[in-house]
């Protein structure tokens, strides 16, 4: 009589690990959000493009001067008084050289004066 072979007990988690690993590989290959640019495509450069601010925005110069439609405002609170009461959204277009502390202080002053939202208009670039 032959002795019965004892089977080794394999862990059932090995199969699960294999499936998860295969799913990971599948999603890494198939999950590309955007195809890469062609190697010979050169993007348009807009460094010399003159941009214009939205007409209803406050312009902040590098020294902190506030402009609205070409005129200098004494402070940011004077602008909030002109806004319609139902939508008090303020758009700020800061100069690149304006210190961040000054920008935050002006935004806080606008909120304290009654602005519902303060939006900062920036330039978006593709890098």
């Amino acid at each position: 009589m032959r002795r019965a072979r004892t089977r080794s007990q394999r862990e059932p988690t090995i199969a699960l690990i294999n499936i998860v690993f295969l799913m990971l590989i599948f999603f890494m290959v198939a999950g590309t959000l955007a195809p890469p640019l062609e190697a010979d495509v050169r993007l348009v450069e807009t460094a010399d493009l003159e941009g214009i601010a939205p007409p209803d925005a406050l312009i902040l110069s590098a020294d902190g001067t506030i402009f609205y439609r070409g005129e200098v405002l004494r402070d940011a609170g004077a602008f909030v008084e002109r806004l319609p009461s139902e939508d008090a959204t303020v758009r700020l277009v800061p100069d690149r050289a304006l210190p961040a502390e000054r920008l935050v202080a002006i935004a806080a002053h606008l909120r304290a004066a009654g602005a519902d939202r303060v939006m900062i208009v920036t330039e978006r670039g593709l890098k």
Side-chain angles (χ1 to χ4, degrees):
M1 236 168 116
R2 288 186 160 180
R3 196 191 288 190
R5 285 188 171 171
T6 58
R7 288 192 168 163
S8 63
Q9 294 290 331
R10 292 185 68 185
E11 290 289 324
T13 57
I14 301 280
L16 182 63
I17 291 171
N18 288 340
I19 291 171
V20 170
F21 180 71
L22 289 173
M23 288 176 58
L24 175 69
I25 297 297
F26 172 76
F27 285 115
M28 285 175 55
V29 171
T32 304
L33 295 177
L37 293 175
E38 296 295 326
D40 59 343
V41 173
R42 294 182 55 218
L43 298 176
V44 176
E45 293 183 17
T46 59
D48 298 328
L49 183 66
E50 177 104 14
I52 344 176
D56 60 342
L58 286 176
I59 312 297
L60 303 175
S61 66
D63 63 353
T65 307
I66 304 171
F67 296 95
Y68 178 66
R69 294 189 178 175
E71 69 180 65
V72 178
L73 296 179
R74 56 182 163 78
D75 67 347
F79 177 74
V80 177
E81 296 168 358
R82 300 180 184 187
L83 292 175
S85 60
E86 65 272 358
D87 181 27
T89 299
V90 178
R91 288 176 178 80
L92 294 176
V93 182
D95 188 275
R96 182 182 307 246
L98 180 71
E101 296 86 15
R102 180 76 173 128
L103 177 62
V104 170
I106 291 172
H109 184 69
L110 287 166
R111 292 286 299 191
D116 292 334
R117 292 180 4 169
V118 177
M119 299 172 59
I120 298 174
V121 181
T122 62
E123 178 182 16
R124 176 181 285 188
L126 177 65
K127 302 239 179 209

